[in-house]
Amino acid sequence: MGAATAGQQAGGTPDKLRHVESMSELPSGAGTISGISAVVLGESLADEEHDLVFPSAEFSASALVSSPKQYKEMYERSIKDPAGFWSEIADAFYWKEKWNPSEVCSENLDVSKGPVHISWFKGGKTNICYNAVDRNIEAGNGDKIAMYWEGNEPGQDGKLTYSELREKVCQLANYLKSVGVGKGDAVVIYLPMLLELPIAMLACARIGAVHSVVFAGFSADSLAQRIVDCKPKLVLTCNAVKRGPKPILLKDIVDAALVESEKNGFSVGICLTYENQSVMKRQDTKWQAGRDVWWQDVVTNFPTKCDVEWVDAEDPLFLLYTSGSTGKPKGVMHTSGGYMVYTATTFKYAFDYKPTDIYWCTADCGWITGHSYVTYGPLLNGAAVLVFEGTPNYPDAGRCWDIVDKYKVSIFYTAPTLVRSLMRDGNEYVTRYSRKSLRVLGSVGEPINPSAWRWFYNVVGDSKCPISDTWWQTETGGFMMTPLPGAWPQKPGSATFPFFGVQPVIVDEKGQEIEGECSGYLCIKKSWPGAFRTLYGDHDRYETTYFKPFAGYYFTGDGCSRDKDGYHWLTGRVDDVINVSGHRIGTAEVESALVSHPQCAEAAVVGVEHEVKGQGIYAFVTLVDGVPYSEELRKSLISKVRTQMNMLQASV
């Protein structure tokens, strides 16, 4: 089908587009949808002329949320009766002890009324590892594949059933207990994307220990900062890993970090090291007797059964450090019960998860995406998860789609940066593979610019896969705004509407809420189960950073526009702003304008001092492969930005 308005199809036939009639009232109250160009999934390509992409009738018919009407009913209940809404969902999980029905949620987000605090399901006792692993086995799915593993080199692979996963988790949990790790103790995990990484996270959760995963690409200094801050009982790592053709000696980095942390007053007693034999043999690994222990020598000797430590819903589950403006990393702390319920629910609905799906998220567990949507969210739903050790362009730019075909991946979740990188390498790396198994695509990490969205949709998804363009943060624990693939028509680049229980507002510089079509600061009023509870050891910084800028709200730090139809458009961090002659211009807006140029693959924008304008704009641009630089192209890129920015200014 070609372009058609919301009132008629091409050729003047009666409107057959899905659900338009039920969109007269949008949750934001921003207005109605009328006279908008649209395509239907599987029936037409999305291009610059199409504002909306509708789910097909077939997709919507089997979707968990199949219409705006159903979404609106569920959303309104989640706002009007959050205790009842989330309690009903939480009841599907195992709780050793139920929470107090009168204390499902307790909160204060207003610093003027006392210390900020959030709690959900307080008094309830549960265990996220039990719910993610044991509960699936008890439901008869012990022989179902829990995790596939694809190594750095093609042909390296493995898999674990839920029963096998529990055995490995229990062995490591028993080892941790044997060396004195108990409830509330911190464990730092510095591992690549081997199966041992999610196994280590689950083992910590099983015994009530608090894991802190550090991305195994961070420097020794960064690792040392995190070790000194959370003071772990031990560090888990491996001797080496390959990223593409390049070996990285992780153990050497850990050794340097442990020396540095000791200089800063904290000494780690045990470094449990996994021998990654395909990269480095143990005899070639630097070793400190008395501190370093080989994983394979000790963990495999422990029993494959381990009792569960039942923890309070508000007991800490993990720390995940994010960069801070002061240079000191912020230890974002998530707790067990609310995070469990929220990540499981967001995964289920945002990806329209079905038990037959094979799910692949390309993120590393060193980031929040790897916590919520590689490990906990999928396993809590009994999903089959693909864990990928390598890089998406090794040995060539077709690796992702080779993997998709190999495992019959049906849900593929990745970052706009990767989409743009693969887009630069050309369509032929995609189209040489079938990709027929793909059902839902997802985007995470930053706003996806419309041109990359369209390429992802048209080329990767063959114009048949909805894209869950998710907006959320390390601090939120799970998705805050995202299209529900069977319900909402999508606008390329828009995160659309809030997830259940989330109340986003756009405020001006004085903290006043702005209604309708507008642009401003994105805040959230009222808490949600996945919200982080504090910054480890620094509650004052927690309040100052997130709650003092706009009293009574959680301040996301992001800018946001809402269009006339109520769709939300994230414009990037508000501190990533360039002030040109008094005009505040978001770097993300300029970058999006640049990459919308057909010959630009990637762009990064910074502000530079300007003697007249105060600040000027400097752009670093990566061109599409095979496109030569020229003065004409430079002028064309500048013209594209000017045109796009004029359109943006006119729309707000």
Side-chain angles (χ1 to χ4, degrees):
M1 189 188 84
T5 69
Q8 67 175 34
Q9 286 191 329
T13 56
D15 187 359
K16 299 294 185 184
L17 295 180
R18 247 53 70 197
H19 313 308
V20 175
E21 72 285 348
S22 59
M23 296 176 65
S24 57
E25 287 185 68
L26 294 172
S28 65
T32 60
I33 291 183
S34 61
I36 297 176
S37 299
V39 298
V40 175
L41 286 168
E43 297 182 23
S44 183
L45 295 176
D47 62 35
E48 298 291 339
E49 302 303 319
H50 296 133
D51 295 320
L52 287 180
V53 180
F54 283 74
S56 67
E58 293 74 20
F59 192 103
S60 290
S62 63
L64 296 172
V65 181
S66 60
S67 68
K69 181 175 183 293
Q70 183 187 353
Y71 162 81
K72 188 183 176 191
E73 290 170 352
M74 294 176 70
Y75 180 76
E76 286 184 346
R77 187 189 168 209
S78 75
I79 299 304
K80 293 176 181 176
D81 180 23
F85 180 86
W86 289 110
S87 291
E88 188 175 300
I89 291 173
D91 275 334
F93 298 95
Y94 180 80
W95 298 79
K96 189 71 171 176
E97 295 179 21
K98 289 293 290 292
W99 58 89
N100 186 333
S102 65
E103 293 183 329
V104 176
C105 174
S106 173
E107 66 181 43
N108 173 46
L109 306 189
D110 191 338
V111 290
S112 67
K113 297 180 180 178
V116 172
H117 71 87
I118 298 168
S119 70
W120 282 82
F121 311 112
K122 190 166 179 63
K125 293 191 180 297
T126 189
N127 184 285
I128 196 170
C129 175
Y130 181 88
N131 278 286
V133 182
D134 302 61
R135 189 171 59 97
N136 289 308
I137 296 170
E138 291 165 8
N141 292 318
D143 293 333
K144 180 179 178 178
I145 299 298
M147 290 184 167
Y148 293 99
W149 177 74
E150 176 74 9
N152 179 69
E153 299 291 338
Q156 292 180 333
D157 54 31
K159 58 187 176 182
L160 290 173
T161 65
Y162 273 92
S163 293
E164 291 167 339
L165 175 61
R166 180 171 66 177
E167 290 178 355
K168 289 188 175 293
V169 166
C170 287
Q171 284 184 313
L172 180 57
N174 282 321
Y175 168 77
L176 294 175
K177 288 178 16 179
S178 77
V179 296
V181 178
K183 182 180 178 182
D185 290 331
V187 173
V188 165
I189 303 170
Y190 187 76
L191 283 166
M193 289 295 282
L194 304 171
L195 288 178
E196 282 67 27
L197 176 45
I199 286 169
M201 295 165 64
L202 291 163
C204 290
R206 192 171 191 86
I207 61 174
V210 180
H211 61 71
S212 182
V213 182
V214 180
F215 172 57
F218 278 179
S219 68
D221 285 345
S222 296
L223 177 57
Q225 283 183 313
R226 289 152 174 79
I227 289 171
V228 170
D229 192 66
C230 72
K231 298 176 173 52
K233 281 287 184 76
L234 79 164
V235 173
L236 279 66
T237 189
C238 79
N239 54 352
V241 66
K242 268 191 173 181
R243 288 201 176 92
K246 180 183 178 182
I248 299 172
L249 307 183
L250 294 182
K251 178 67 163 50
D252 287 3
I253 297 171
V254 173
D255 288 346
L258 295 180
V259 169
E260 185 65 25
S261 62
E262 194 164 355
K263 289 179 183 177
N264 286 281
F266 183 75
S267 179
V268 175
I270 299 173
C271 178
L272 182 65
T273 306
Y274 185 83
E275 182 186 1
N276 196 2
Q277 297 176 355
S278 65
V279 182
M280 175 182 276
K281 303 301 181 186
R282 62 173 61 191
Q283 59 266 27
D284 299 321
T285 305
K286 294 178 182 177
W287 207 249
Q288 182 174 313
R291 184 197 69 187
D292 299 343
V293 180
W294 287 112
W295 181 308
Q296 286 93 329
D297 286 354
V298 293
V299 173
T300 55
N301 296 326
F302 280 84
T304 57
K305 293 182 179 180
C306 176
D307 291 339
V308 170
E309 181 72 33
W310 302 106
V311 300
D312 190 274
E314 285 300 311
D315 282 340
L317 172 64
F318 66 84
L319 297 175
L320 189 55
Y321 287 86
T322 66
S323 299
S325 57
T326 63
K328 180 186 176 184
K330 298 177 292 187
V332 171
M333 191 185 86
H334 282 284
T335 53
S336 297
Y339 174 84
M340 174 181 75
V341 172
Y342 196 71
T343 53
T345 308
T346 50
F347 173 84
K348 175 182 176 180
Y349 286 108
F351 295 122
D352 190 48
Y353 170 72
K354 306 290 195 297
T356 53
D357 280 319
I358 305 296
Y359 168 78
W360 180 19
C361 171
T362 64
D364 191 287
C365 288
W367 310 109
I368 186 63
T369 306
H371 284 58
S372 299
Y373 301 112
V374 172
T375 306
Y376 292 117
L379 295 180
L380 287 164
N381 281 278
V385 182
L386 176 62
V387 176
F388 178 44
E389 179 195 18
T391 58
N393 57 359
Y394 176 79
D396 64 34
R399 183 71 187 278
C400 281
W401 322 121
D402 181 41
I403 293 172
V404 164
D405 283 359
K406 177 178 178 179
Y407 295 96
K408 302 295 185 287
V409 171
S410 54
I411 304 172
F412 178 71
Y413 188 39
T414 194
T417 301
L418 175 60
V419 173
R420 289 192 293 269
S421 174
L422 297 175
M423 182 178 171
R424 179 189 66 195
D425 290 322
N427 295 1
E428 63 273 13
Y429 283 105
V430 183
T431 56
R432 70 173 60 161
Y433 297 97
S434 163
R435 297 159 287 110
K436 288 183 179 178
S437 59
L438 288 174
R439 193 174 68 83
V440 176
L441 302 175
S443 172
V444 59
E446 60 184 287
I448 185 170
N449 52 292
S451 61
W453 193 103
R454 291 184 181 96
W455 184 85
F456 200 26
Y457 167 77
N458 290 330
V459 180
V460 174
D462 278 339
S463 308
K464 65 182 178 64
C465 301
I467 299 174
S468 293
D469 179 7
T470 62
W471 173 79
W472 59 301
Q473 302 173 316
T474 301
E475 293 87 347
T476 71
F479 305 146
M480 299 293 278
M481 284 193 278
T482 180
L484 298 183
W488 288 110
Q490 296 180 247
K491 294 187 179 185
S494 171
T496 64
F497 300 104
F499 192 75
F500 306 129
V502 176
Q503 298 185 61
V505 293
I506 297 175
V507 302
D508 62 20
E509 291 187 352
K510 295 180 180 179
Q512 298 297 310
E513 293 185 24
I514 315 171
E515 298 296 328
E517 187 176 359
C518 62
S519 184
Y521 301 93
L522 179 60
C523 294
I524 310 294
K525 60 181 179 182
K526 308 294 288 183
S527 71
W528 60 99
F532 74 132
R533 304 306 198 246
T534 191
L535 294 176
Y536 181 68
D538 200 346
H539 199 72
D540 285 345
R541 189 182 185 190
Y542 170 73
E543 294 186 342
T544 300
T545 303
Y546 300 100
F547 298 95
K548 282 188 177 178
F550 301 104
Y553 300 99
Y554 165 74
F555 175 45
T556 68
D558 283 336
C560 184
S561 294
R562 184 171 53 223
D563 68 21
K564 61 185 176 61
D565 302 312
Y567 283 66
H568 294 83
W569 302 78
L570 275 296
T571 56
R573 304 295 295 173
V574 294
D575 49 6
D576 291 340
V577 169
I578 303 169
N579 196 326
V580 181
S581 300
H583 299 285
R584 291 169 59 82
I585 300 172
T587 57
E589 295 171 306
V590 181
E591 289 163 358
S592 181
L594 284 166
V595 296
S596 70
H597 191 289
Q599 292 175 307
C600 176
E602 282 276 22
V605 170
V606 296
V608 294
E609 289 187 15
H610 192 284
E611 59 182 351
V612 176
K613 299 179 180 179
Q615 280 188 301
I617 300 173
Y618 197 96
F620 299 85
V621 170
T622 301
L623 300 177
V624 171
D625 272 0
V627 174
Y629 171 79
S630 68
E631 181 63 18
E632 289 74 21
L633 178 55
R634 187 183 74 85
K635 291 178 180 177
S636 177
L637 288 165
I638 292 172
S639 175
K640 188 71 172 177
V641 172
R642 285 176 176 159
T643 302
Q644 290 282 90
M645 296 306 294
N646 285 339
M647 289 170 61
L648 284 169
Q649 294 299 321
S651 69
V652 296

